[in-house]
């Protein structure tokens, strides 16, 4: 009976759920349901492989996120062996997780950028460390907003960028059915958006099935999700820090 009294919360994120976060929510009389809004599909890996085999044509490579590292790994035949000439070039990664992924996945591949927190910061670092030389382009395997922002900023600074779209977000094949189930069960009252993809997938669902969001509590996790919700004209009940489960629980309950 106790479980039925718990408040249902829909979290639009993958099933790689944080156990501690889920436990904290349950202890606060909340019942989290995770619905993955999207899936990553790799693309253009053959084209990327050809570019990786010609390091002499580039000033270096820029990894805007962990998935760009994964794309390079898969393009290399899942062995992570970057041609040696890349190591002597100007190589960058956006943030600590991307930097670590490149080091671990691509056989200790060296990059700068482990302390930056945004595409803007990384662009500033590149300007500071590479100097005035702009004759060769950077290779930029991308597929997300950060990669596109970075490309625009670098071009504005006079750099040449050879961007290669290597993955894309697609609506998860189970998303529509999962959302229909919770809607039918009247459990779609509190929804937590964790990413741009979650906003896109949910917006399409609301529009297609004429679901009103006026009486629902919609919570954004982080500024990027908040901005995407505003652009999609979804009402934002609260914005919480992605690292604070206490903030999330408080936002849900109030």
């Amino acid at each position: 009976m106790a479980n039925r009294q718990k408040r249902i919360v829909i979290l639009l994120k993958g099933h790689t759920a944080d156990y501690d976060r889920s436990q904290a929510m349950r202890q606060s009389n909340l019942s989290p349901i995770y619905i993955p809004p999207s899936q990553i599909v790799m693309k253009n890996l053959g084209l990327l492989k050809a570019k990786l085999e010609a390091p002499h044509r580039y000033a270096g490579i820029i990894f805007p996120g962990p998935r760009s590292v994964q794309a390079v790994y898969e393009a290399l035949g899942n062995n992570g062996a970057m041609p040696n000439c890349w190591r002597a070039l100007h190589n960058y990664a956006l943030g600590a997780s991307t930097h670590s992924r490149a080091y671990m996945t691509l056989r200790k591949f060296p990059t700068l950028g482990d302390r930056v927190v945004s595409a803007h910061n990384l662009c500033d670092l590149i300007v500071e460390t590479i100097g005035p030389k702009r004759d060769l382009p950077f290779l930029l395997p991308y597929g997300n907003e950060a990669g596109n922002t970075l490309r625009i900023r670098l071009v504005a600074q006079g750099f040449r960028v050879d961007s290669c779209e290597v993955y894309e977000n697609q609506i998860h094949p189970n998303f529509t059915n999962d959302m229909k189930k919770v809607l039918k069960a009247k459990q779609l009252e509190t929804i937590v958006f964790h990413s741009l993809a979650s906003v896109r997938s949910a917006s399409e669902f609301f529009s297609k099935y004429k679901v009103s969001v006026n009486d629902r509590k919609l919570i954004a996790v982080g500024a990027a999700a908040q901005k995407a919700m505003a652009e999609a004209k979804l009402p934002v009940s609260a914005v919480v820090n992605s690292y604070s489960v206490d903030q999330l629980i408080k936002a849900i309950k109030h």
Side-chain angles (χ1 to χ4, degrees):
M1 178 69 74
N3 284 338
R4 293 180 183 175
Q5 296 174 348
K6 288 182 180 290
R7 180 172 179 173
I8 302 294
V9 180
I10 306 301
L11 296 103
L12 300 183
K13 64 179 300 188
H15 285 309
T16 53
D18 185 330
Y19 175 79
D20 292 336
R21 175 170 296 219
S22 298
Q23 279 294 95
M25 293 179 70
R26 292 188 182 98
Q27 289 170 2
S28 297
N29 209 37
L30 302 173
S31 181
I33 296 177
Y34 290 85
I35 298 180
S38 64
Q39 63 180 4
I40 298 298
V41 178
M42 295 296 176
K43 59 193 291 188
N44 298 325
L45 296 187
L47 176 61
L48 177 60
K49 183 175 187 293
K51 295 176 184 293
L52 292 170
E53 291 173 345
H56 59 282
R57 297 179 180 175
Y58 297 98
I61 186 169
I62 303 173
F63 298 105
R67 291 191 181 104
S68 62
V69 178
Q70 182 63 29
V72 167
Y73 178 77
E74 292 186 20
L76 293 170
N78 295 324
N79 63 22
M82 290 280 282
N84 283 332
C85 291
W86 280 105
R87 294 179 178 271
L89 302 181
H90 298 276
N91 305 309
Y92 299 90
L94 202 168
S97 62
T98 308
H99 168 82
S100 298
R101 181 71 66 88
Y103 186 82
M104 298 296 293
T105 306
L106 303 177
R107 302 189 181 186
K108 300 182 178 180
F109 189 74
T111 58
L112 297 177
D114 57 310
R115 295 185 179 182
V116 304
V117 296
S118 70
H120 298 281
N121 295 150
L122 184 56
C123 183
D124 292 340
L125 176 66
I126 294 170
V127 171
E128 291 171 7
T129 54
I130 199 173
K133 200 172 183 181
R134 303 283 196 275
D135 53 335
L136 292 176
F138 279 106
L139 177 58
L140 178 68
Y142 79 104
N144 61 6
E145 195 67 28
N148 191 46
T149 300
L150 185 59
R151 179 186 62 80
I152 293 171
R153 288 216 66 191
L154 286 171
V155 170
Q157 290 287 342
F159 290 99
R160 295 168 59 199
V161 180
D162 182 5
S163 55
C164 183
E165 189 174 2
V166 293
Y167 68 88
E168 64 182 1
N169 274 300
Q170 295 182 355
I171 292 181
H172 194 281
N174 298 328
F175 180 76
T176 297
N177 285 338
D178 288 343
M179 291 289 280
K180 282 183 176 179
K181 287 178 183 176
V182 293
L183 179 63
K184 185 176 181 180
K186 297 184 179 180
Q187 296 173 332
L188 198 62
E189 304 307 312
T190 303
I191 310 169
V192 182
F193 295 82
H194 284 80
S195 64
L196 303 180
S198 67
V199 175
R200 284 194 293 266
S201 297
S203 294
E204 288 187 25
F205 177 83
F206 296 150
S207 176
K208 183 175 181 179
Y209 296 98
K210 296 180 172 52
V211 178
S212 173
V213 296
N214 293 333
D215 297 325
R216 306 179 197 277
K217 176 169 282 191
L218 309 186
I219 299 172
V221 177
Q226 178 189 18
K227 180 182 177 183
M229 289 173 69
E231 291 174 349
K233 295 181 172 52
L234 294 178
V236 181
S237 303
V239 182
V240 300
N241 187 301
S242 60
Y243 303 105
S244 176
V245 65
D246 291 334
Q247 274 189 26
L248 178 59
I249 291 170
K250 184 176 180 181
I252 292 169
K253 290 193 159 189
H254 295 87

